[in-house]
Amino acid sequence: MTPALLAIACLLIVTLGYAGVCAASPFGDCRRCRGMGHALKTDRKGRMKRGKDCRRCHATGKRIRTGRWLYNRWARIYRAGTDAPGGSR
């Protein structure tokens, strides 16, 4: 197997695997708060306590994956372009 063919096969496997992950689980953990929905702070005694809500995920702890976001955008544009004017066929 040539190196170019091997590289193409590896890229194809990675791409299909990521597409499968996006289809099965479209939401992943927020990168900023690591899925907790808020920051952790320490008080003056060194104990952990809840901080402010995460502004990126709006305290849900979840974010939409990039592949799923691209698919949703593509599907929205496709539906808008194929619908008949007036909304009925």
Side-chain angles (χ1 to χ4, degrees):
M1 192 175 235
T2 65
L5 193 58
L6 183 62
I8 290 171
C10 287
L11 284 173
L12 185 64
I13 289 171
V14 169
T15 302
L16 291 177
Y18 183 68
V21 167
C22 287
S25 176
F27 295 98
D29 288 340
C30 177
R31 291 187 192 112
R32 176 176 256 174
C33 64
R34 297 185 187 103
M36 293 187 64
H38 56 83
L40 289 177
K41 294 185 353 180
T42 56
D43 61 3
R44 291 171 52 169
K45 293 182 180 180
R47 292 184 297 226
M48 299 299 288
K49 65 183 243 183
R50 181 186 167 105
K52 292 183 178 179
D53 287 344
C54 180
R55 289 174 33 182
R56 179 178 281 179
C57 66
H58 305 289
T60 61
K62 296 293 179 185
R63 64 167 178 86
I64 192 159
R65 295 185 194 275
T66 305
R68 186 60 184 215
W69 182 85
L70 288 171
Y71 172 77
N72 289 348
R73 178 65 54 104
W74 173 82
R76 189 177 307 124
I77 291 170
Y78 181 78
R79 280 192 306 269
T82 57
D83 281 346
S88 62
R89 294 183 183 230

